Amino acid sequence: MTLPALHNSGVLYRRILSQFPQDISLAFVYGSAVFKQHGTSQGQMEKNMLDFVFAVDDPVTWHTMNLLQNRKHYSILKLLGPTKISSIQNEYGAAVYYNTLVPVDGKIIKYGVISTESLIDDLMHWKTMYIAGRLHKPVKMLIQGENGKLRAALVANLKSAVTASFLMLPESFTEEDLFLQIAGLSYAGDFRMVIGEDKSKVANIVKDNIQHFRILYNNILRDCPQVVYKPQQGKLEVDKSPEGQFIQLMALPRTLQQKITKLVDPPGKNRDVEEILLQVAQDPDCASVVQQGISSIVKSSSITQSVKSIATAGLWKTVSYSSKKLRKMWKGWRRKSSVSQMF
């Protein structure tokens, strides 16, 4: 389902993982230092920060051990102790605790810690779409335990990404159209796309990684009764009838269904979800309603998690990290500008 770490980089990732407490149910690494993005050279890739996510069953115990092993990774919040750190992790933002700009084994890394329970909740229901959104795109899985609920949730998340994208695409489209739509889900409504991220980010992620997306979604597309998938031509046709769209809407994650019903149902009317989604399925603006629902989830979590990151990273690291993002955005804008001037 997810892509195994390549042998040449696998040793590096294992060396980095060995620096942390080993009670991890899921670990993956992602981003522009792992998967080549359009317009990025190999040299730039090697300089980019490595982004890790660790899911842990018991955050208090994990942070207790990590504070003993890697106290310097934490901001001033380390003084509050592991119980308070875990509360900050679970109760604010997207239920992730990030330590950023951390030097480990000759690399600069950022790592987020999330409880296994919170991760399953996000994958199944898109409560914040923060980590679920990262897992819509290719990642390198480093550790994956035997937790059956977590494994099922990882697959459900990919299916949800496909279903939501079908609702926002026309009847016929290409694989690349689908993968662009999927990759863009977790950026819809993200305030960082206005200031702080390269505006071509989604296209850059997909362009050089079509094959990785195919590996990730091939089985789901082949098994989906809602679509005619022609992998040889790279084309798809989806059922856009009201009946087809209703089936897709009913299969969406719970939080997204709630956001859609809130957008459509006037206050005080209190109709049931099925009735409202049946109405949306027949609406010519169905795609727009789904898009707005996703944007409202992402906007909220991106703002609250970013505010939380100021505390978890510390002010100096926040300024340093943000300035690097702004430089990337400026480079992307200049690259786009120079290309457009050629035509």
Side-chain angles (χ1 to χ4, degrees):
M1 188 197 75
T2 42
L3 305 170
L6 297 175
H7 292 300
N8 59 348
S9 52
V11 173
L12 169 66
Y13 301 145
R14 285 198 299 276
R15 283 172 65 97
I16 290 171
L17 276 177
S18 71
Q19 312 282 320
F20 294 95
Q22 293 305 292
D23 186 18
I24 294 172
S25 62
L26 186 86
F28 64 89
V29 61
Y30 66 98
S32 58
V34 182
F35 293 94
K36 188 178 182 306
Q37 293 186 7
H38 190 68
T40 306
S41 69
Q42 189 64 37
Q44 285 172 307
M45 270 184 78
E46 287 169 12
K47 288 178 190 170
N48 286 345
M49 183 164 62
L50 284 166
D51 294 299
F52 290 83
V53 169
F54 305 146
V56 302
D57 291 342
D58 183 349
V60 175
T61 301
W62 197 89
H63 283 295
T64 301
M65 298 299 294
N66 201 41
L67 281 162
L68 289 170
Q69 288 177 229
N70 300 303
R71 193 169 179 81
K72 287 183 179 177
H73 294 183
Y74 291 80
S75 70
I76 198 167
L77 294 185
K78 61 178 168 272
L79 301 177
L80 300 176
T83 303
K84 190 63 182 170
I85 284 172
S86 298
S87 295
I88 292 166
Q89 173 186 309
N90 292 324
E91 293 168 21
Y92 300 96
V96 194
Y97 191 101
Y98 272 104
N99 284 325
T100 190
L101 295 175
V102 175
V104 179
D105 216 63
K107 289 282 186 180
I108 300 297
I109 75 163
K110 175 178 79 173
Y111 63 95
V113 184
I114 185 169
S115 76
T116 307
E117 186 182 354
S118 294
L119 176 58
I120 291 170
D121 190 38
D122 197 33
L123 293 168
M124 292 298 296
H125 306 303
W126 286 9
K127 189 175 177 183
T128 67
M129 267 183 77
Y130 203 82
I131 301 300
R134 276 149 184 74
L135 285 161
H136 291 160
K137 298 173 275 289
V139 303
K140 290 195 189 299
M141 267 313 160
L142 306 174
I143 295 172
Q144 190 169 356
E146 295 304 314
N147 186 322
K149 266 181 87 174
L150 179 53
R151 284 177 176 270
L154 287 163
V155 176
N157 181 48
L158 297 179
K159 287 181 177 177
S160 295
V162 167
T163 303
S165 296
F166 283 171
L167 284 159
M168 292 185 284
L169 286 163
E171 191 173 0
S172 300
F173 48 90
T174 66
E175 274 183 326
E176 187 170 352
D177 293 332
L178 174 63
F179 299 148
L180 284 166
Q181 190 71 57
I182 289 171
L185 292 175
S186 61
Y187 296 111
D190 190 335
F191 82 98
R192 293 169 301 178
M193 292 303 286
V194 179
I195 181 162
E197 290 285 7
D198 181 354
K199 301 298 179 291
S200 309
K201 187 178 180 78
V202 174
N204 292 345
I205 289 169
V206 173
K207 242 174 206 174
D208 288 352
N209 291 294
I210 295 282
Q211 190 55 34
H212 292 305
F213 276 93
R214 277 196 194 114
I215 293 166
L216 199 53
Y217 288 100
N218 182 60
N219 289 344
I220 289 169
L221 293 172
R222 284 183 185 277
D223 294 343
C224 179
Q226 296 280 301
V227 71
V228 177
Y229 179 35
K230 304 170 185 172
Q232 300 306 318
Q233 295 107 297
K235 291 182 179 176
L236 304 95
E237 292 170 17
V238 71
D239 183 359
K240 299 300 283 187
S241 69
E243 295 80 10
Q245 295 200 138
F246 178 63
I247 291 167
Q248 290 159 20
L249 287 162
M250 288 297 290
L252 291 175
R254 185 177 64 206
T255 306
L256 180 51
Q257 289 181 341
Q258 290 168 347
K259 295 288 184 184
I260 290 168
T261 56
K262 200 173 177 183
L263 284 164
V264 174
D265 205 32
K269 216 170 178 190
N270 295 325
R271 293 181 297 163
D272 66 49
V273 173
E274 196 168 326
E275 186 185 342
I276 296 162
L277 295 182
L278 187 58
Q279 177 192 322
V280 174
Q282 298 170 69
D283 190 331
D285 292 327
C286 175
S288 174
V289 174
V290 174
Q291 177 76 37
Q292 287 175 63
I294 291 169
S295 294
S296 65
I297 297 171
V298 174
K299 184 179 182 181
S300 174
S301 64
S302 70
I303 292 170
T304 54
Q305 183 65 34
S306 293
V307 170
K308 173 176 159 180
S309 292
I310 296 169
T312 61
L315 189 59
W316 180 85
K317 282 187 177 181
T318 300
V319 171
S320 177
Y321 181 69
S322 300
S323 65
K324 284 177 183 174
K325 286 284 186 184
L326 287 167
R327 277 200 298 274
K328 277 178 85 173
M329 183 181 79
W330 172 248
K331 281 179 187 173
W333 181 83
R334 284 185 64 191
R335 189 165 58 239
K336 199 172 178 183
S337 179
S338 62
V339 168
S340 63
Q341 284 171 16
M342 290 167 63
F343 295 98

